Every structure is written in structure tokens, then in C-alpha cells.
PDB file of all heavy atoms in Angstrom:
ATOM      1  N   TYR E   1       6.152  -3.881   4.074  1.00 91.00           N
ATOM      2  CA  TYR E   1       7.522  -3.472   4.313  1.00 91.00           C
ATOM      3  C   TYR E   1       8.463  -4.367   3.518  1.00 91.00           C
ATOM      4  O   TYR E   1       8.374  -5.600   3.591  1.00 91.00           O
ATOM      5  CB  TYR E   1       7.883  -3.538   5.792  1.00 91.00           C
ATOM      6  CG  TYR E   1       7.019  -2.610   6.613  1.00 91.00           C
ATOM      7  CD1 TYR E   1       5.803  -3.028   7.157  1.00 91.00           C
ATOM      8  CD2 TYR E   1       7.409  -1.284   6.803  1.00 91.00           C
ATOM      9  CE1 TYR E   1       5.010  -2.159   7.867  1.00 91.00           C
ATOM     10  CE2 TYR E   1       6.610  -0.403   7.511  1.00 91.00           C
ATOM     11  CZ  TYR E   1       5.417  -0.834   8.041  1.00 91.00           C
ATOM     12  OH  TYR E   1       4.615   0.027   8.750  1.00 91.00           O
ATOM     13  N   ARG E   2       9.353  -3.736   2.763  1.00 90.00           N
ATOM     14  CA  ARG E   2      10.362  -4.482   2.039  1.00 90.00           C
ATOM     15  C   ARG E   2      11.452  -4.958   3.002  1.00 90.00           C
ATOM     16  O   ARG E   2      11.612  -4.418   4.099  1.00 90.00           O
ATOM     17  CB  ARG E   2      10.982  -3.588   0.952  1.00 90.00           C
ATOM     18  CG  ARG E   2      10.013  -3.097  -0.102  1.00 90.00           C
ATOM     19  CD  ARG E   2       9.825  -4.111  -1.220  1.00 90.00           C
ATOM     20  NE  ARG E   2      11.048  -4.295  -1.980  1.00 90.00           N
ATOM     21  CZ  ARG E   2      11.380  -3.526  -3.028  1.00 90.00           C
ATOM     22  NH1 ARG E   2      10.604  -2.510  -3.399  1.00 90.00           N
ATOM     23  NH2 ARG E   2      12.486  -3.765  -3.705  1.00 90.00           N
ATOM     24  N   MET E   3      12.214  -5.942   2.565  1.00 92.00           N
ATOM     25  CA  MET E   3      13.303  -6.449   3.396  1.00 92.00           C
ATOM     26  C   MET E   3      14.284  -5.309   3.719  1.00 92.00           C
ATOM     27  O   MET E   3      14.674  -4.531   2.851  1.00 92.00           O
ATOM     28  CB  MET E   3      14.048  -7.553   2.664  1.00 92.00           C
ATOM     29  CG  MET E   3      15.040  -8.312   3.532  1.00 92.00           C
ATOM     30  SD  MET E   3      15.759  -9.746   2.707  1.00 92.00           S
ATOM     31  CE  MET E   3      17.016  -8.955   1.708  1.00 92.00           C
ATOM     32  N   GLY E   4      14.630  -5.184   4.995  1.00 90.00           N
ATOM     33  CA  GLY E   4      15.591  -4.174   5.421  1.00 90.00           C
ATOM     34  C   GLY E   4      14.987  -2.843   5.812  1.00 90.00           C
ATOM     35  O   GLY E   4      15.706  -1.932   6.236  1.00 90.00           O
ATOM     36  N   GLU E   5      13.681  -2.701   5.717  1.00 89.00           N
ATOM     37  CA  GLU E   5      13.052  -1.410   6.091  1.00 89.00           C
ATOM     38  C   GLU E   5      12.787  -1.334   7.596  1.00 89.00           C
ATOM     39  O   GLU E   5      11.680  -1.004   8.046  1.00 89.00           O
ATOM     40  CB  GLU E   5      11.740  -1.207   5.325  1.00 89.00           C
ATOM     41  CG  GLU E   5      11.927  -0.833   3.877  1.00 89.00           C
ATOM     42  CD  GLU E   5      10.634  -0.324   3.247  1.00 89.00           C
ATOM     43  OE1 GLU E   5       9.698  -1.116   3.086  1.00 89.00           O
ATOM     44  OE2 GLU E   5      10.575   0.873   2.931  1.00 89.00           O
ATOM     45  N   GLU E   6      13.812  -1.580   8.386  1.00 90.00           N
ATOM     46  CA  GLU E   6      13.650  -1.634   9.837  1.00 90.00           C
ATOM     47  C   GLU E   6      13.256  -0.291  10.426  1.00 90.00           C
ATOM     48  O   GLU E   6      12.418  -0.209  11.323  1.00 90.00           O
ATOM     49  CB  GLU E   6      14.938  -2.133  10.498  1.00 90.00           C
ATOM     50  CG  GLU E   6      15.171  -3.619  10.276  1.00 90.00           C
ATOM     51  CD  GLU E   6      16.586  -3.922   9.833  1.00 90.00           C
ATOM     52  OE1 GLU E   6      16.929  -3.616   8.695  1.00 90.00           O
ATOM     53  OE2 GLU E   6      17.323  -4.477  10.656  1.00 90.00           O
ATOM     54  N   LYS E   7      13.872   0.782   9.941  1.00 89.00           N
ATOM     55  CA  LYS E   7      13.597   2.099  10.511  1.00 89.00           C
ATOM     56  C   LYS E   7      12.135   2.498  10.295  1.00 89.00           C
ATOM     57  O   LYS E   7      11.474   2.969  11.213  1.00 89.00           O
ATOM     58  CB  LYS E   7      14.528   3.142   9.891  1.00 89.00           C
ATOM     59  CG  LYS E   7      14.385   4.505  10.526  1.00 89.00           C
ATOM     60  CD  LYS E   7      15.427   5.488   9.998  1.00 89.00           C
ATOM     61  CE  LYS E   7      15.295   6.855  10.672  1.00 89.00           C
ATOM     62  NZ  LYS E   7      16.306   7.813  10.162  1.00 89.00           N
ATOM     63  N   ARG E   8      11.647   2.305   9.086  1.00 87.00           N
ATOM     64  CA  ARG E   8      10.241   2.645   8.766  1.00 87.00           C
ATOM     65  C   ARG E   8       9.293   1.787   9.597  1.00 87.00           C
ATOM     66  O   ARG E   8       8.290   2.289  10.132  1.00 87.00           O
ATOM     67  CB  ARG E   8      10.008   2.458   7.277  1.00 87.00           C
ATOM     68  CG  ARG E   8       8.590   2.745   6.838  1.00 87.00           C
ATOM     69  CD  ARG E   8       8.457   2.796   5.325  1.00 87.00           C
ATOM     70  NE  ARG E   8       7.085   2.590   4.944  1.00 87.00           N
ATOM     71  CZ  ARG E   8       6.616   1.478   4.393  1.00 87.00           C
ATOM     72  NH1 ARG E   8       7.420   0.449   4.138  1.00 87.00           N
ATOM     73  NH2 ARG E   8       5.349   1.366   4.068  1.00 87.00           N
ATOM     74  N   LEU E   9       9.580   0.506   9.721  1.00 91.00           N
ATOM     75  CA  LEU E   9       8.731  -0.394  10.499  1.00 91.00           C
ATOM     76  C   LEU E   9       8.758  -0.001  11.979  1.00 91.00           C
ATOM     77  O   LEU E   9       7.716   0.030  12.632  1.00 91.00           O
ATOM     78  CB  LEU E   9       9.203  -1.833  10.326  1.00 91.00           C
ATOM     79  CG  LEU E   9       8.509  -2.909  11.195  1.00 91.00           C
ATOM     80  CD1 LEU E   9       7.025  -2.930  10.944  1.00 91.00           C
ATOM     81  CD2 LEU E   9       9.134  -4.281  10.932  1.00 91.00           C
ATOM     82  N   ASN E  10       9.926   0.325  12.485  1.00 89.00           N
ATOM     83  CA  ASN E  10      10.055   0.674  13.895  1.00 89.00           C
ATOM     84  C   ASN E  10       9.262   1.947  14.241  1.00 89.00           C
ATOM     85  O   ASN E  10       8.713   2.075  15.323  1.00 89.00           O
ATOM     86  CB  ASN E  10      11.523   0.858  14.262  1.00 89.00           C
ATOM     87  CG  ASN E  10      11.745   0.731  15.762  1.00 89.00           C
ATOM     88  OD1 ASN E  10      11.196  -0.135  16.421  1.00 89.00           O
ATOM     89  ND2 ASN E  10      12.548   1.629  16.306  1.00 89.00           N
ATOM     90  N   ASN E  11       9.199   2.876  13.294  1.00 87.00           N
ATOM     91  CA  ASN E  11       8.414   4.087  13.510  1.00 87.00           C
ATOM     92  C   ASN E  11       6.935   3.757  13.741  1.00 87.00           C
ATOM     93  O   ASN E  11       6.278   4.349  14.584  1.00 87.00           O
ATOM     94  CB  ASN E  11       8.556   5.022  12.310  1.00 87.00           C
ATOM     95  CG  ASN E  11       9.899   5.707  12.268  1.00 87.00           C
ATOM     96  OD1 ASN E  11      10.574   5.802  13.278  1.00 87.00           O
ATOM     97  ND2 ASN E  11      10.294   6.188  11.094  1.00 87.00           N
ATOM     98  N   VAL E  12       6.423   2.826  12.967  1.00 86.00           N
ATOM     99  CA  VAL E  12       5.025   2.433  13.120  1.00 86.00           C
ATOM    100  C   VAL E  12       4.798   1.690  14.419  1.00 86.00           C
ATOM    101  O   VAL E  12       3.841   1.929  15.155  1.00 86.00           O
ATOM    102  CB  VAL E  12       4.571   1.574  11.922  1.00 86.00           C
ATOM    103  CG1 VAL E  12       3.230   0.924  12.204  1.00 86.00           C
ATOM    104  CG2 VAL E  12       4.463   2.452  10.674  1.00 86.00           C
ATOM    105  N   LEU E  13       5.702   0.757  14.759  1.00 88.00           N
ATOM    106  CA  LEU E  13       5.574   0.012  16.004  1.00 88.00           C
ATOM    107  C   LEU E  13       5.629   0.939  17.200  1.00 88.00           C
ATOM    108  O   LEU E  13       4.955   0.735  18.205  1.00 88.00           O
ATOM    109  CB  LEU E  13       6.681  -1.050  16.101  1.00 88.00           C
ATOM    110  CG  LEU E  13       6.643  -2.133  15.004  1.00 88.00           C
ATOM    111  CD1 LEU E  13       7.826  -3.071  15.170  1.00 88.00           C
ATOM    112  CD2 LEU E  13       5.349  -2.925  15.045  1.00 88.00           C
ATOM    113  N   ASP E  14       6.450   1.968  17.089  1.00 86.00           N
ATOM    114  CA  ASP E  14       6.549   2.959  18.175  1.00 86.00           C
ATOM    115  C   ASP E  14       5.239   3.725  18.317  1.00 86.00           C
ATOM    116  O   ASP E  14       4.752   3.980  19.418  1.00 86.00           O
ATOM    117  CB  ASP E  14       7.714   3.918  17.874  1.00 86.00           C
ATOM    118  CG  ASP E  14       7.894   4.947  18.984  1.00 86.00           C
ATOM    119  OD1 ASP E  14       8.090   4.524  20.130  1.00 86.00           O
ATOM    120  OD2 ASP E  14       7.827   6.147  18.704  1.00 86.00           O
ATOM    121  N   LYS E  15       4.640   4.104  17.187  1.00 83.00           N
ATOM    122  CA  LYS E  15       3.378   4.842  17.208  1.00 83.00           C
ATOM    123  C   LYS E  15       2.267   4.058  17.911  1.00 83.00           C
ATOM    124  O   LYS E  15       1.412   4.631  18.572  1.00 83.00           O
ATOM    125  CB  LYS E  15       2.962   5.166  15.761  1.00 83.00           C
ATOM    126  CG  LYS E  15       1.633   5.893  15.634  1.00 83.00           C
ATOM    127  CD  LYS E  15       1.292   6.134  14.173  1.00 83.00           C
ATOM    128  CE  LYS E  15      -0.067   6.802  14.020  1.00 83.00           C
ATOM    129  NZ  LYS E  15      -0.460   6.995  12.631  1.00 83.00           N
ATOM    130  N   TYR E  16       2.305   2.747  17.764  1.00 85.00           N
ATOM    131  CA  TYR E  16       1.253   1.915  18.356  1.00 85.00           C
ATOM    132  C   TYR E  16       1.643   1.349  19.725  1.00 85.00           C
ATOM    133  O   TYR E  16       0.898   0.567  20.294  1.00 85.00           O
ATOM    134  CB  TYR E  16       0.847   0.803  17.379  1.00 85.00           C
ATOM    135  CG  TYR E  16       0.049   1.357  16.217  1.00 85.00           C
ATOM    136  CD1 TYR E  16       0.680   1.719  15.023  1.00 85.00           C
ATOM    137  CD2 TYR E  16      -1.308   1.572  16.328  1.00 85.00           C
ATOM    138  CE1 TYR E  16      -0.045   2.253  13.974  1.00 85.00           C
ATOM    139  CE2 TYR E  16      -2.050   2.114  15.291  1.00 85.00           C
ATOM    140  CZ  TYR E  16      -1.404   2.452  14.114  1.00 85.00           C
ATOM    141  OH  TYR E  16      -2.133   2.999  13.087  1.00 85.00           O
ATOM    142  N   GLY E  17       2.805   1.742  20.233  1.00 84.00           N
ATOM    143  CA  GLY E  17       3.135   1.473  21.623  1.00 84.00           C
ATOM    144  C   GLY E  17       3.576   0.066  21.967  1.00 84.00           C
ATOM    145  O   GLY E  17       3.423  -0.360  23.120  1.00 84.00           O
ATOM    146  N   TYR E  18       4.116  -0.687  21.020  1.00 88.00           N
ATOM    147  CA  TYR E  18       4.512  -2.059  21.320  1.00 88.00           C
ATOM    148  C   TYR E  18       5.856  -2.121  22.041  1.00 88.00           C
ATOM    149  O   TYR E  18       6.740  -1.281  21.808  1.00 88.00           O
ATOM    150  CB  TYR E  18       4.569  -2.884  20.030  1.00 88.00           C
ATOM    151  CG  TYR E  18       3.222  -3.073  19.398  1.00 88.00           C
ATOM    152  CD1 TYR E  18       2.983  -2.690  18.072  1.00 88.00           C
ATOM    153  CD2 TYR E  18       2.161  -3.603  20.110  1.00 88.00           C
ATOM    154  CE1 TYR E  18       1.730  -2.846  17.490  1.00 88.00           C
ATOM    155  CE2 TYR E  18       0.907  -3.775  19.556  1.00 88.00           C
ATOM    156  CZ  TYR E  18       0.691  -3.383  18.230  1.00 88.00           C
ATOM    157  OH  TYR E  18      -0.532  -3.535  17.661  1.00 88.00           O
ATOM    158  N   ASP E  19       6.016  -3.115  22.926  1.00 87.00           N
ATOM    159  CA  ASP E  19       7.228  -3.197  23.728  1.00 87.00           C
ATOM    160  C   ASP E  19       8.379  -3.843  22.939  1.00 87.00           C
ATOM    161  O   ASP E  19       8.213  -4.277  21.801  1.00 87.00           O
ATOM    162  CB  ASP E  19       6.969  -3.947  25.037  1.00 87.00           C
ATOM    163  CG  ASP E  19       6.584  -5.409  24.843  1.00 87.00           C
ATOM    164  OD1 ASP E  19       6.880  -5.962  23.767  1.00 87.00           O
ATOM    165  OD2 ASP E  19       5.983  -5.983  25.761  1.00 87.00           O
ATOM    166  N   ASN E  20       9.517  -3.939  23.574  1.00 89.00           N
ATOM    167  CA  ASN E  20      10.731  -4.391  22.886  1.00 89.00           C
ATOM    168  C   ASN E  20      10.663  -5.821  22.389  1.00 89.00           C
ATOM    169  O   ASN E  20      11.185  -6.161  21.328  1.00 89.00           O
ATOM    170  CB  ASN E  20      11.959  -4.212  23.795  1.00 89.00           C
ATOM    171  CG  ASN E  20      12.379  -2.756  23.898  1.00 89.00           C
ATOM    172  OD1 ASN E  20      12.091  -1.957  23.003  1.00 89.00           O
ATOM    173  ND2 ASN E  20      12.997  -2.393  25.003  1.00 89.00           N
ATOM    174  N   SER E  21      10.030  -6.711  23.167  1.00 89.00           N
ATOM    175  CA  SER E  21       9.962  -8.109  22.745  1.00 89.00           C
ATOM    176  C   SER E  21       9.136  -8.254  21.475  1.00 89.00           C
ATOM    177  O   SER E  21       9.468  -9.049  20.595  1.00 89.00           O
ATOM    178  CB  SER E  21       9.368  -8.977  23.877  1.00 89.00           C
ATOM    179  OG  SER E  21       8.040  -8.574  24.168  1.00 89.00           O
ATOM    180  N   VAL E  22       8.065  -7.495  21.370  1.00 91.00           N
ATOM    181  CA  VAL E  22       7.234  -7.502  20.157  1.00 91.00           C
ATOM    182  C   VAL E  22       8.018  -6.910  18.994  1.00 91.00           C
ATOM    183  O   VAL E  22       8.062  -7.458  17.882  1.00 91.00           O
ATOM    184  CB  VAL E  22       5.922  -6.740  20.380  1.00 91.00           C
ATOM    185  CG1 VAL E  22       5.158  -6.561  19.064  1.00 91.00           C
ATOM    186  CG2 VAL E  22       5.054  -7.446  21.401  1.00 91.00           C
ATOM    187  N   ARG E  23       8.693  -5.811  19.228  1.00 91.00           N
ATOM    188  CA  ARG E  23       9.456  -5.144  18.174  1.00 91.00           C
ATOM    189  C   ARG E  23      10.538  -6.059  17.617  1.00 91.00           C
ATOM    190  O   ARG E  23      10.756  -6.114  16.398  1.00 91.00           O
ATOM    191  CB  ARG E  23      10.108  -3.879  18.707  1.00 91.00           C
ATOM    192  CG  ARG E  23       9.129  -2.761  19.004  1.00 91.00           C
ATOM    193  CD  ARG E  23       9.877  -1.490  19.295  1.00 91.00           C
ATOM    194  NE  ARG E  23       9.030  -0.534  19.984  1.00 91.00           N
ATOM    195  CZ  ARG E  23       9.275   0.765  19.993  1.00 91.00           C
ATOM    196  NH1 ARG E  23      10.332   1.240  19.391  1.00 91.00           N
ATOM    197  NH2 ARG E  23       8.473   1.596  20.631  1.00 91.00           N
ATOM    198  N   LYS E  24      11.217  -6.751  18.501  1.00 92.00           N
ATOM    199  CA  LYS E  24      12.291  -7.648  18.063  1.00 92.00           C
ATOM    200  C   LYS E  24      11.774  -8.717  17.120  1.00 92.00           C
ATOM    201  O   LYS E  24      12.428  -9.098  16.157  1.00 92.00           O
ATOM    202  CB  LYS E  24      12.972  -8.286  19.269  1.00 92.00           C
ATOM    203  CG  LYS E  24      13.899  -7.328  20.021  1.00 92.00           C
ATOM    204  CD  LYS E  24      14.548  -8.005  21.228  1.00 92.00           C
ATOM    205  CE  LYS E  24      15.445  -7.018  21.978  1.00 92.00           C
ATOM    206  NZ  LYS E  24      16.048  -7.644  23.195  1.00 92.00           N
ATOM    207  N   SER E  25      10.574  -9.240  17.406  1.00 93.00           N
ATOM    208  CA  SER E  25       9.975 -10.274  16.556  1.00 93.00           C
ATOM    209  C   SER E  25       9.743  -9.725  15.151  1.00 93.00           C
ATOM    210  O   SER E  25      10.067 -10.369  14.157  1.00 93.00           O
ATOM    211  CB  SER E  25       8.651 -10.749  17.153  1.00 93.00           C
ATOM    212  OG  SER E  25       8.837 -11.356  18.411  1.00 93.00           O
ATOM    213  N   PHE E  26       9.184  -8.516  15.089  1.00 93.00           N
ATOM    214  CA  PHE E  26       8.918  -7.896  13.786  1.00 93.00           C
ATOM    215  C   PHE E  26      10.196  -7.543  13.059  1.00 93.00           C
ATOM    216  O   PHE E  26      10.357  -7.828  11.869  1.00 93.00           O
ATOM    217  CB  PHE E  26       8.063  -6.627  13.987  1.00 93.00           C
ATOM    218  CG  PHE E  26       6.617  -6.865  14.272  1.00 93.00           C
ATOM    219  CD1 PHE E  26       6.204  -7.349  15.503  1.00 93.00           C
ATOM    220  CD2 PHE E  26       5.644  -6.599  13.317  1.00 93.00           C
ATOM    221  CE1 PHE E  26       4.857  -7.546  15.784  1.00 93.00           C
ATOM    222  CE2 PHE E  26       4.304  -6.800  13.595  1.00 93.00           C
ATOM    223  CZ  PHE E  26       3.911  -7.285  14.826  1.00 93.00           C
TER     224      PHE E  26
END
């Protein structure tokens, strides 16, 4: 993931079911 690709990264994190605290770290 390039810098600033939050939306694309969040889509993947959502697919794998990670909670908000994990998402915030990423």
C-alpha cells in the first residue's frame, strides 16, 4: 500500500474482520 491508500487498505482489513483498534494501527 502506498502512502495515503487508506480506503483500499480499509477494504482489505474489513474483508478479514479486524476490529477498530487493529484498523487504527494500520
Side-chain angles (χ1 to χ4, degrees):
Y1 298 90
R2 298 275 294 273
M3 190 173 81
E5 285 194 292
E6 287 133 288
K7 186 174 181 180
R8 179 170 159 253
L9 174 59
N10 200 43
N11 286 340
V12 168
L13 297 177
D14 182 57
K15 178 181 177 183
Y16 287 94
Y18 293 124
D19 64 21
N20 285 335
S21 62
V22 171
R23 290 190 198 201
K24 285 179 181 178
S25 297
F26 283 72

